């Protein structure tokens, strides 16, 4: 077997589990302490609605792609807002920095609804990459945090990168800059903490399996196939969550699930979840706080 390096990203690698990034140790879910959610819920569900801005000037040939995404900010987000408002369900809102000031009505409505704002980078066409210097990446994360604070009066607690992209430094920088959680990591059904020297950083799992970006756009499933998959996913988590609570993020893009042909299926999934009596609808920050309260009590 090829020998692995003793450290990665300036951190010592766990000699037993060999987690090569050094950011967290391996953790088998069955060995963890029981996790509970408010009102005895089996599943904590965070509806995460992405509103992205893609700059036409950087790719003038992709007019179709630009207008498709722009639909989300002009129409789709408001359709999803009405659905969630009628159902009494909160949402977490990753929003491109550019839209905070180009589309102030989104900010006004999200604040009225009590939604949580999540830092999401400058534009969807400018994701974090390994080619960015640490200085540039830190500035990128600072700018996004400051933009939300300026637009809403509160700094964001969470981060979701465009395309869920990170460098080897991103988690460390997020912790250093005071972010409490990240939605970039989708490798669990429960929250978990990172090993960061600056402060606590927690992953709120954001699964590609329950994201329209992956299932609808990348895999080309129909709206009803996506709805069926979400129902099956939730059914399994509810059954397992009776023993120890689970997390389900419903990852939606305003320009995809906010389309007329898809929105009704999202409503049906949310109605099923609400009627089950086993789901606690919460923002990502509320899930984080409930999780951390139990970790402190252990």
């Amino acid at each position: 077997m090829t020998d692995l390096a003793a450290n990665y990203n300036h951190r010592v690698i766990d000699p037993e589990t060999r987690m090569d990034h050094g950011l967290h140790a391996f953790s088998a879910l069955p060995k963890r302490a029981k996790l509970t959610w408010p009102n005895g819920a089996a599943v904590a569900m965070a509806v995460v609605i992405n509103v992205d801005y893609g700059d036409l000037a950087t790719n003038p040939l992709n007019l179709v792609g630009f207008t498709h995404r722009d639909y989300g900010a002009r129409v789709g987000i408001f359709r999803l807002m009405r659905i969630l408002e009628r159902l009494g369900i909160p949402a977490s809102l990753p929003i491109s920095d550019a839209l905070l000031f180009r589309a102030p009505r989104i900010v006004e409505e999200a604040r009225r609804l009590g939604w949580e704002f999540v830092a999401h980078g400058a534009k969807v066409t400018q994701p974090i990459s390994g080619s960015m210097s640490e200085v540039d990446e830190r500035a990128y994360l600072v700018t996004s945090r400051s933009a939300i604070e300026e637009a809403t009066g509160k700094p964001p607690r969470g981060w979701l990168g465009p395309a869920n992209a990170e460098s080897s430094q991103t988690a460390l920088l997020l912790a250093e800059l005071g972010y409490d959680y990240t939605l970039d990591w989708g490798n669990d059904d429960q929250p978990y903490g990172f090993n960061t020297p600056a402060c606590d950083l927690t992953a709120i799992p954001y699964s590609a399996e329950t994201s329209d970006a992956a299932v609808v756009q990348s895999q080309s499933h129909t709206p009803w196939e996506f709805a069926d998959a979400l129902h099956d996913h939730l059914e399994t988590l509810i059954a397992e969550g009776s023993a120890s609570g689970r997390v389900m993020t419903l990852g939606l893009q305003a320009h995809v699930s906010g389309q007329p042909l898809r929105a009704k299926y999202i409503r049906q999934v949310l109605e099923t979840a609400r009627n089950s009596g086993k789901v606690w609808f919460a923002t990502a920050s509320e899930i984080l706080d409930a999780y951390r309260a139990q970790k402190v009590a252990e």
Side-chain angles (χ1 to χ4, degrees):
M1 184 177 73
T2 303
D3 289 336
L4 297 176
N7 59 73
Y8 174 82
N9 201 22
H10 310 296
R11 301 186 66 80
V12 176
I13 293 175
D14 185 330
E16 294 184 9
T17 63
R18 307 303 299 182
M19 302 302 288
D20 62 357
H21 48 64
L23 292 171
H24 61 73
F26 175 78
S27 173
L29 192 152
K31 293 188 176 182
R32 301 175 197 166
K34 182 177 181 179
L35 183 62
T36 60
W37 300 125
N39 306 317
V43 176
M45 179 182 286
V47 180
V48 182
I49 302 179
N50 297 262
V51 191
D52 295 314
Y53 179 77
D55 191 353
L56 182 62
T58 60
N59 189 4
L61 298 179
N62 188 18
L63 181 61
V64 172
F66 172 80
T67 55
H68 184 217
R69 195 174 300 280
D70 199 36
Y71 181 93
R74 296 163 65 92
V75 183
I77 183 61
F78 301 106
R79 180 172 290 121
L80 293 173
M81 282 177 166
R82 296 294 81 80
I83 290 172
L84 268 67
E85 183 177 21
R86 293 188 190 106
L87 294 174
I89 295 173
S92 299
L93 183 70
I95 181 169
S96 297
D97 300 350
L99 284 178
L100 291 166
F101 305 101
R102 293 172 187 253
R105 183 61 184 272
I106 297 175
V107 176
E108 293 168 7
E109 282 295 286
R111 293 183 70 182
R112 182 184 69 82
L113 294 169
W115 287 14
E116 176 186 13
F117 289 84
V118 180
H120 193 44
K123 303 172 184 177
V124 71
T125 49
Q126 296 177 0
I128 290 173
S129 72
S131 63
M132 294 176 74
S133 70
E134 183 176 331
V135 171
D136 287 344
E137 185 175 349
R138 181 181 287 106
Y140 183 90
L141 296 171
V142 167
T143 297
S144 194
R145 182 177 173 85
S146 299
I148 287 185
E149 183 170 14
E150 181 180 348
T152 69
K154 291 176 59 177
R157 298 182 66 188
W159 168 264
L160 174 64
N164 295 68
E166 289 196 359
S167 75
S168 62
Q169 297 289 334
T170 304
L172 300 175
L173 291 173
L174 289 172
E176 173 192 314
L177 296 172
Y179 285 92
D180 288 320
Y181 70 85
T182 175
L183 290 162
D184 285 339
W185 295 61
N187 54 339
D188 215 302
D189 286 330
Q190 293 181 335
Y192 63 88
F194 287 97
N195 300 320
T196 55
C199 68
D200 289 338
L201 181 71
T202 301
I204 305 295
Y206 186 88
S207 175
E209 302 296 339
T210 55
S211 164
D212 62 8
V215 179
V216 176
Q217 282 192 300
S218 297
Q219 300 171 13
S220 299
H221 286 282
T222 64
W224 47 94
E225 286 173 337
F226 184 41
D228 285 346
L230 292 173
H231 282 119
D232 292 343
H233 192 99
L234 178 61
E235 180 182 346
T236 298
L237 291 185
I238 287 176
E240 295 176 348
S242 60
S244 185
R246 301 295 198 262
V247 168
M248 177 175 172
T249 51
L250 178 54
L252 307 176
Q253 298 174 98
H255 66 285
V256 176
S257 288
Q259 296 284 348
L261 78 163
R262 298 189 184 96
K264 78 168 189 176
Y265 293 98
I266 299 303
R267 173 179 55 78
Q268 290 169 3
V269 168
L270 293 173
E271 287 174 342
T272 297
R274 186 187 62 174
N275 294 339
S276 73
K278 298 293 185 180
V279 174
W280 172 47
F281 291 102
T283 64
S285 279
E286 290 170 335
I287 293 173
L288 171 69
D289 291 339
Y291 166 74
R292 285 187 173 175
Q294 293 172 72
K295 298 301 290 183
V296 170
E298 287 179 2

